[in-house]
Amino acid sequence: MSLEERRESILITAFPRQALVSIAILAAAWETLSHLAPLLGIPPFAVPSLVRIAQSLTTITWIDVVVTLARVIAALVISFALGLALAMGMYRSERLEHHLRPLIRLLMAVPVISWILFAVLWFRGVEFRIVFVLVVVCAPVFLVDTLDAMRSVPRELRRMFQSFRPTPVQFFFKLMLPAIVPGIITSWKINLSLAIRVVTIAELVGAVTGIGHRLAVSQELFSVADVFAWTLVLVTLLFVLEALVVRIETRVLRWRA
Amino acid sequence: MRGPSPIEVRQLRKVYRQTASGQEVVAIARLDLTIEPREVVAIVGQTGCGKSTFFDLMIGLEQPTAGSIVIGGKTPYGDFDHFRGQIATVFQQDRLLPWRSSIDNVRLPIELMGLPEDVQRKRSLSWLERLGLKAFIDAYPHELSGGMRQRVAIARAFVVEPEILLADEAFGHLDEVTAAELRETFLALARECGSTAILITHQLEEAIGVGNRIVVFGKSAELLADIRVAEWGKAEHPVLREAIQATLQNNRPDRRLAREPIVGA
């Protein structure tokens, strides 16, 4: 069995065995709690039954899912391009790194909610606000991860490559880029999860479309079942995107032992 | 025909400044050496004597502090691009790119030179076959043994059909049998290609088993001895072996090397 086949079979078999059992136990516990809620003095709307949640799932508006997904992907692409460009600059120029490092650390320390408030105060366009928040949160992560990956390319490999007298473009595309791919993929995994969480919060404030907006509406209507349904969609979306990245990783990094 | 130019090392000096202490370290004090085309030279010296610095200066990755290395009127550092495809290297570790298969590792130098795709493949395949790796052309480095990886590294050096071949402790990390076998292969191919070969080693046995010339470096690459093996009949000449050993140990030329050697004695 090839490495790729082995990894795929792990993904297929490990998920049902471990995750499905846990989910089934959680669902059973939830269903029991929803039936016992009146006896325990909990309002019935606070713990809706699984059937009620399933009903909410049928009312999901896919346009909101697509809008959120588009925002996440657009922001991640911009963040990655920005992070990669700055990482390359900082790799080449120690002076630039000394200037930017503290700034990057500062940016990463600012809470997401502060960025959302800044965005609301500074910008008018809703889309721009959301993308701004996502980029300002995700780009530094891409930058730091890419720069670390570049710095960890072994000196021996760089010397060997330089001994063949490559052009700077060849040096980047034939050595550095393939060498940092594992680090970049890990960074995408981290940022996907981060972006999904941040976009929801950003959409809660001010957006008129998207999953975050739908969550805000559900909260206004005191519909816990709808909040559950949209949360399930979000989690599923994240799992699907992560599975996609893992698939790409398996293909791109098939050379790894 | 390749290799018409000698390598002329003139008053070569290399001094490093330590980053932490700011102290100067003299890696090469002053070196004069001429290596003729197609010569096979073994440079032997103890660890830290400046052999690897000389290797880096030969490749052109370092700039000499003073003096020069001139090959056909050009210097490897100053005319860096001129030597693309003319100087090839085999390093201590194979230094293969882990994401490239054997054939893709071998084709790397000629890919960088911009040779046509079909030429790249044909030439790489031919060199892998010559090194006995036909069955492993699509294998990744982690799927190969240490000896096989070093064979790929040798094929990668020869694929450019270089004028000058440099090997820095290239066989020292392998077991004795594999090292001897690879050394023989390397030398045979170097002779066949008409390349000038410089092998750097800290092992006397390796130096003796290699060249038609043995250069002994002392501290800061001081030239302690420059021996033409033919004058001694053979490199395994017991007096020669002992004299080189004594030179290395005492860090000064052994007096027996100054005597006229007796061929076949």
Side-chain angles (χ1 to χ4, degrees), chain A residues 155-157 159-167 170-171 174-176 178-179 254-257, chain B residues 56 59 61-62 76 80 83-84 89 91 95-100 108-109 111-112 140 142 156:
Chain A
R155 182 176 182 268
E156 289 76 21
L157 275 193
R159 303 284 280 187
M160 176 279 295
F161 203 88
Q162 280 167 337
S163 76
F164 295 126
R165 292 159 160 81
T167 62
Q170 287 175 329
F171 186 79
K174 304 228 182 243
L175 176 71
M176 295 306 283
R254 63 183 182 278
W255 52 268
R256 288 213 290 206
Chain B
D56 285 346
I59 302 171
L61 293 181
E62 297 281 349
F80 193 76
F83 289 95
R84 183 175 292 133
T89 46
F91 295 89
R95 300 192 190 182
L96 300 179
L97 298 178
W99 56 88
R100 281 180 168 241
L108 176 69
E111 189 181 316
L112 298 178
Y140 287 102
H142 75 267
R156 183 179 63 188

Side-chain angles (χ1 to χ4, degrees), chain A residues 16-132:
Chain A
R17 272 190 205 157
Q18 293 160 14
L20 282 182
V21 169
S22 310
I23 291 168
I25 291 169
L26 185 70
W30 180 267
E31 188 65 16
T32 310
L33 187 66
S34 81
H35 287 290
L36 295 176
L39 298 173
L40 298 169
I42 302 168
F45 75 87
V47 193
S49 69
L50 294 179
V51 175
R52 175 69 191 85
I53 294 169
Q55 280 171 351
S56 287
L57 276 173
T58 60
T59 64
I60 292 295
T61 44
W62 291 105
I63 185 70
D64 289 298
V65 179
V66 172
V67 165
T68 296
L69 185 63
R71 283 171 181 154
V72 167
I73 290 172
L76 284 179
V77 169
I78 295 168
S79 304
F80 176 63
L82 202 64
L84 183 66
L86 283 172
M88 281 166 66
M90 287 164 77
Y91 178 78
R92 288 188 71 87
S93 164
E94 217 168 284
R95 184 181 282 188
L96 186 67
E97 189 186 350
H98 286 156
H99 279 94
L100 286 184
R101 270 275 183 191
L103 202 66
I104 302 299
R105 294 183 79 170
L106 192 75
L107 285 182
M108 291 176 89
V110 176
V112 174
I113 195 70
S114 301
W115 285 122
I116 293 171
L117 293 176
F118 286 138
V120 169
L121 293 168
W122 289 341
F123 310 116
R124 281 191 176 181
V126 173
E127 294 306 321
F128 191 83
R129 281 178 192 168
I130 294 169
V131 171
F132 167 78

Side-chain angles (χ1 to χ4, degrees), chain B residues 43 59 89 104 118-119 129 144 153 162 165 182 203 220 226 254 265:
Chain B
I43 296 179
I59 302 171
T89 46
D104 287 339
D118 56 329
V119 176
E129 276 179 33
L144 302 172
L165 270 162
L182 280 187
Q203 293 175 332
S220 301
D226 186 355
D254 188 84

Side-chain angles (χ1 to χ4, degrees), chain B residues 101-151:
Chain B
S101 62
S102 300
I103 188 159
D104 287 339
N105 264 294
V106 172
R107 77 200 297 177
L108 176 69
I110 47 177
E111 189 181 316
L112 298 178
M113 286 163 70
L115 263 60
E117 190 81 17
D118 56 329
V119 176
Q120 285 178 30
R121 186 166 174 80
K122 206 172 150 188
R123 224 199 257 189
S124 310
L125 263 175
S126 151
W127 278 104
L128 280 170
E129 276 179 33
R130 291 175 79 170
L131 281 143
L133 291 166
K134 195 182 175 184
F136 299 94
I137 56 168
D138 292 320
Y140 287 102
H142 75 267
E143 295 168 322
L144 302 172
S145 69
M148 288 160 103
R149 284 201 297 271
Q150 199 64 343
R151 278 178 187 276

Side-chain angles (χ1 to χ4, degrees), chain B:
Chain B
M1 189 62 193
R2 289 182 316 274
S5 313
I7 300 165
E8 293 174 86
V9 181
R10 294 285 169 264
Q11 301 190 9
L12 187 69
R13 182 176 172 81
K14 181 67 188 175
V15 179
Y16 291 105
R17 189 176 289 277
Q18 284 182 335
T19 318
S21 62
Q23 276 188 323
E24 284 192 344
V25 177
V26 181
I28 296 176
R30 183 182 182 276
L31 180 66
D32 287 281
L33 190 69
T34 302
I35 297 169
E36 296 301 330
R38 298 185 197 91
E39 244 186 334
V40 178
V41 182
I43 296 179
V44 64
Q46 289 183 347
T47 306
C49 73
K51 303 186 300 289
S52 293
T53 302
F54 179 66
F55 183 83
D56 285 346
L57 290 164
M58 277 294 308
I59 302 171
L61 293 181
E62 297 281 349
Q63 184 177 21
T65 308
S68 61
I69 296 173
V70 179
I71 307 162
K74 309 266 185 193
T75 64
Y77 183 84
D79 306 288
F80 193 76
D81 290 338
H82 172 81
F83 289 95
R84 183 175 292 133
Q86 290 189 41
I87 298 178
T89 46
V90 184
F91 295 89
Q92 186 168 14
Q93 299 293 334
D94 51 75
R95 300 192 190 182
L96 300 179
L97 298 178
W99 56 88
R100 281 180 168 241
S101 62
S102 300
I103 188 159
D104 287 339
N105 264 294
V106 172
R107 77 200 297 177
L108 176 69
I110 47 177
E111 189 181 316
L112 298 178
M113 286 163 70
L115 263 60
E117 190 81 17
D118 56 329
V119 176
Q120 285 178 30
R121 186 166 174 80
K122 206 172 150 188
R123 224 199 257 189
S124 310
L125 263 175
S126 151
W127 278 104
L128 280 170
E129 276 179 33
R130 291 175 79 170
L131 281 143
L133 291 166
K134 195 182 175 184
F136 299 94
I137 56 168
D138 292 320
Y140 287 102
H142 75 267
E143 295 168 322
L144 302 172
S145 69
M148 288 160 103
R149 284 201 297 271
Q150 199 64 343
R151 278 178 187 276
V152 176
I154 291 172
R156 183 179 63 188
F158 277 101
V159 79
V160 295
E161 295 170 5
E163 188 179 312
I164 297 163
L165 270 162
L166 298 166
D168 185 14
E169 309 276 9
F171 316 108
H173 64 292
L174 300 169
D175 66 84
E176 232 170 87
V177 177
T178 311
E181 189 191 322
L182 280 187
R183 205 161 44 229
E184 282 306 312
T185 309
F186 178 87
L187 293 172
L189 292 173
R191 286 191 192 100
E192 195 183 314
C193 290
S195 305
T196 306
I198 302 173
L199 285 95
I200 290 171
T201 179
H202 67 278
Q203 293 175 332
L204 177 59
E205 292 309 314
E206 185 160 306
I208 284 174
V210 164
N212 45 25
R213 187 173 168 195
I214 301 170
V215 172
V216 185
F217 275 6
K219 201 175 166 229
S220 301
E222 184 191 353
L223 194 62
L224 297 181
D226 186 355
I227 305 143
R228 311 267 169 185
V229 171
E231 293 168 10
W232 289 79
K234 54 182 182 177
E236 291 81 5
H237 192 300
V239 177
L240 177 63
R241 185 189 289 263
E242 282 171 26
I244 298 174
Q245 185 76 57
T247 304
L248 282 167
Q249 274 171 1
N250 303 326
N251 196 44
R252 63 166 189 267
D254 188 84
R255 57 191 166 79
R256 282 171 289 185
L257 291 172
R259 286 189 203 149
E260 191 66 32
I262 305 159
V263 177

